[in-house]
Amino acid sequence: MIPKVILAVISLLLTSALSVQAVNAAEPTKGKFITIDGTSLVGENGKPYYIVGTNLGNWLNPEGYMFGFKKTNCEWMINEMVCEMAGPDAAREFWQKFKDDYITEDDIAFISKCGANTIRLPFNYKLFTAEDYMGMNDPQEGFRLMDKVIGWAKKYGLHVILDMHDCPGGQTGDNIDNGYGYPWLFVSEASQKQFIDIWTKIATHFAGEPAVLGYELMNEPIATTFTKEVQEELNKKLEPLYKKAVAAIRTVDKNHIILLGGSQWNSNFEPFTDWKFDNKIMYTCHRYGGNATKEAIGSFIAFRDKTGLPMYMGELGHNTDKWQSDFVKVLREANIGYTFWPYKKIESSCMVGIAKPEEWDRTVVKFSEADRNSFDAIRKARPDQATAYKLLMQFAENSKFQNCNPQPAYISSIGLSFGF
C-alpha cells in the first residue's frame, strides 16, 4: 500500500501540472494570425487562405434529426426525453460519454487527411455558465472541450472557427438555437449582456491562439418563420448588437477576425450599413437547396463586392453529390470559402455516418415521437429502462470514429479526398 504522505505529494504534483496546463491554454502562442486582405483571407505564410472544411455539428449543440428524431429536435427536448425514458442519472452518463466519444483526435486527424484546412465548431453558450446543459453545469466545460479540439487542430494543421450556435435567449426563434420559439436575445438586455460577457471571456482565453481563425458571434439570427414586420423590427437590432459585442471583444483581443452572419438564416445582408466599423470583420452566409449556380448566390457576391470584405459559406449540404460538387465549383470560382454541414450524424449525408443501434428506431425514436404531454402519457409510452439505457450508451459508442462509416462519395462531392 502506498503511504498517505506519498499519495498527497503525487496529488499536489498532479494539481500543479493541471494548473500550469490551464494557464498555458490562455497564454499567447507565438505565431501569426490569419488576416484579411480585401475580399480574401491571408494565411500565416503570407499566401491566400481559402477556407475548405466541415462543421462539427451536433457535438456541442445536439439537434434531433441527427439522432433520427423529428419532434424532439433540440438539446433541452432531447435531455428531457432521455430523463423521462431512462432517468436523470442515465442522462448525465449518456451526455458525458457522448461528449467524450463523438469527437476525438481520430476525427480531427481524419478531417485533415481528407484535405480540409478549417473546422467550424458550433457550441451552446451554456457551456460557459452554471446552467444545466448536457448533464453538467460547469462554466469551464466549454474551455475544456474547445482546448482539446484546438490542440488537435494545431497538431494536424487545421484552423477553427468558434461559432456560438445557441445564444442566450435564443437568436433565431427555432429549434436550432435550443431556445423557446422566439429570438428573445434581441429584446432582453440581460441576455445581451450575457452574450457579450461570454464572448469577452472566450476572446480573453484565446486571444493569443493563431489556430483559432475567428469568432462567429451568432448562428443564423432571426428566422423567416415570423411576419415581415417582426423580421424587419428585429433586423434593425442586429448590427447594433454586433457592434457592442465586437467593441467588447476588442478590449481583450485585437488579433482575431470576427465573423458576422446575415439575418434570416444567414441570407439577408441588407440590414448592414456600417460594414467597416472594425478592421478585422468578415461576413458569413448559408445556403441549402436551390440551384447550384452563381446566380443563386448573386446577392452574397454583390454584398461581398460592395463591402470589399470576405464572404464565407459557413453551412451548406444535405443534397445530392452532384449538387454539392457543382456548388463547390461555383464557390471556388466566386472566391467564397466553405464548410459543409455536418461532419458526422446518424447514417449518411455527412463525412462519416453513425450506425443505428439495433432497436434504436423501435425503442428510442418511438418514445421521442410518442405523446408525452402528461405524466400518465410518459408512463404508458416509456420503454424498458434498462433497454433504453443500453441503446443510448451504444449510440455514443457507435459515434466513435473507429465505429463510424466514412462516406467516400460525399467526401469527394464537397471538394475533399478520401483517397489517402
Side-chain angles (χ1 to χ4, degrees):
M1 181 179 293
I2 302 175
K4 290 184 178 180
V5 174
I6 295 177
L7 287 173
V9 172
I10 293 172
S11 177
L12 180 61
L13 289 172
L14 286 172
T15 301
S16 299
L18 289 172
S19 298
V20 171
Q21 185 180 24
V23 171
N24 286 342
E27 288 177 351
T29 303
K30 292 182 179 180
K32 295 180 180 179
F33 295 80
I34 290 180
T35 57
I36 292 172
D37 182 13
T39 59
S40 298
L41 299 180
V42 179
E44 302 96 317
N45 57 6
K47 296 180 180 179
Y49 186 94
Y50 181 78
I51 295 173
V52 178
T54 188
N55 283 266
L56 301 185
N58 202 45
W59 181 40
L60 305 182
N61 66 313
E63 292 189 52
Y65 85 96
M66 298 206 209
F67 295 86
F69 308 150
K70 294 179 181 178
K71 290 195 304 185
T72 306
N73 57 3
C74 69
E75 185 276 339
W76 70 260
M77 290 182 177
I78 298 170
N79 183 66
E80 190 174 80
M81 182 268 290
V82 172
C83 288
E84 292 167 353
M85 182 175 62
D89 291 346
R92 283 189 290 271
E93 189 175 346
F94 166 69
W95 286 126
Q96 189 59 58
K97 183 171 175 58
F98 179 85
K99 285 184 288 187
D100 289 343
D101 292 351
Y102 202 85
I103 296 296
T104 67
E105 182 175 351
D106 289 338
D107 292 286
I108 306 306
F110 178 76
I111 292 169
S112 176
K113 286 178 181 178
C114 287
N117 61 16
T118 305
I119 291 168
R120 182 170 177 254
L121 177 55
F123 66 92
N124 191 302
Y125 81 93
K126 291 182 181 180
L127 290 165
F128 299 91
T129 73
E131 298 179 57
D132 288 335
Y133 185 68
M134 297 182 77
M136 293 190 72
N137 55 358
D138 181 0
Q140 297 303 310
E141 178 74 345
F143 289 125
R144 182 184 74 84
L145 296 166
M146 284 184 179
D147 284 344
K148 279 201 309 184
V149 169
I150 291 167
W152 296 330
K154 290 171 69 174
K155 181 176 179 179
Y156 296 102
L158 296 166
H159 286 86
V160 179
I161 294 171
L162 302 179
D163 153 47
M164 189 181 284
H165 219 74
D166 313 306
C167 300
Q171 78 284 0
T172 296
D174 214 322
N175 68 294
I176 60 166
D177 66 15
N178 197 47
Y180 299 97
Y182 190 84
W184 301 106
L185 173 66
F186 297 102
V187 297
S188 167
E189 291 185 9
S191 292
Q192 291 178 22
K193 182 180 184 303
Q194 188 178 33
F195 169 72
I196 292 170
D197 288 347
I198 291 172
W199 267 121
T200 304
K201 183 163 63 172
I202 291 171
T204 300
H205 186 83
F206 292 113
E209 181 51 77
V212 173
L213 188 153
Y215 310 131
E216 184 173 339
L217 298 189
M218 65 178 78
N219 174 68
E220 296 186 341
I222 312 166
T224 58
T225 48
F226 306 100
T227 65
K228 286 292 183 182
E229 291 75 17
V230 170
Q231 290 179 45
E232 289 172 2
E233 189 60 32
L234 291 171
N235 286 352
K236 295 175 185 176
K237 303 175 186 294
L238 182 57
E239 189 174 64
L241 180 54
Y242 275 157
K243 285 184 174 182
K244 290 179 184 178
V246 171
I249 289 170
R250 290 304 181 217
T251 65
V252 297
D253 182 353
K254 294 180 171 58
N255 295 320
H256 285 101
I257 294 169
I258 296 177
L259 295 86
L260 308 179
S263 58
Q264 285 73 64
W265 311 117
N266 276 29
S267 68
N268 180 11
F269 294 89
E270 291 182 6
F272 302 131
T273 58
D274 186 12
W275 46 80
K276 292 192 176 180
F277 64 87
D278 183 85
N279 64 359
K280 290 182 181 176
I281 58 173
M282 62 183 285
Y283 290 88
T284 172
C285 57
H286 291 177
R287 181 76 178 188
Y288 289 97
N291 296 323
T293 62
K294 186 175 181 180
E295 290 72 26
I297 57 170
S299 63
F300 303 156
I301 295 171
F303 182 78
R304 186 271 309 276
D305 293 344
K306 179 172 69 173
T307 61
L309 295 171
M311 179 65 78
Y312 147 69
M313 184 72 74
E315 288 184 26
L316 72 162
H318 289 325
N319 215 303
T320 66
D321 290 343
K322 184 179 187 309
W323 183 93
Q324 294 182 166
S325 179
D326 289 345
F327 217 140
V328 164
K329 294 174 184 175
V330 169
L331 292 171
R332 288 183 180 274
E333 290 173 2
N335 189 31
I336 295 177
Y338 60 88
T339 47
F340 269 79
W341 181 277
Y343 162 66
K344 179 187 288 187
K345 61 180 281 292
I346 203 163
E347 295 189 319
S348 59
S349 193
C350 54
M351 290 180 68
V352 293
I354 302 168
K356 288 182 183 179
E358 192 174 348
E359 299 296 322
W360 179 259
D361 285 347
R362 286 189 288 272
T363 303
V364 179
V365 174
K366 181 180 178 181
F367 184 72
S368 77
E369 303 300 316
D371 173 18
R372 294 182 283 112
N373 291 323
S374 69
F375 286 104
D376 185 55
I378 292 168
R379 286 189 290 268
K380 288 178 179 177
R382 181 185 293 123
D384 176 73
Q385 293 171 359
T387 299
Y389 171 81
K390 182 180 178 181
L391 287 168
L392 289 166
M393 301 308 283
Q394 187 62 55
F395 182 92
E397 182 68 21
N398 287 4
S399 75
K400 286 182 179 178
F401 175 77
Q402 60 266 35
N403 298 327
C404 288
N405 302 309
Q407 311 289 310
Y410 175 96
I411 292 169
S412 177
S413 77
I414 67 173
L416 300 177
S417 174
F418 187 64
F420 55 82

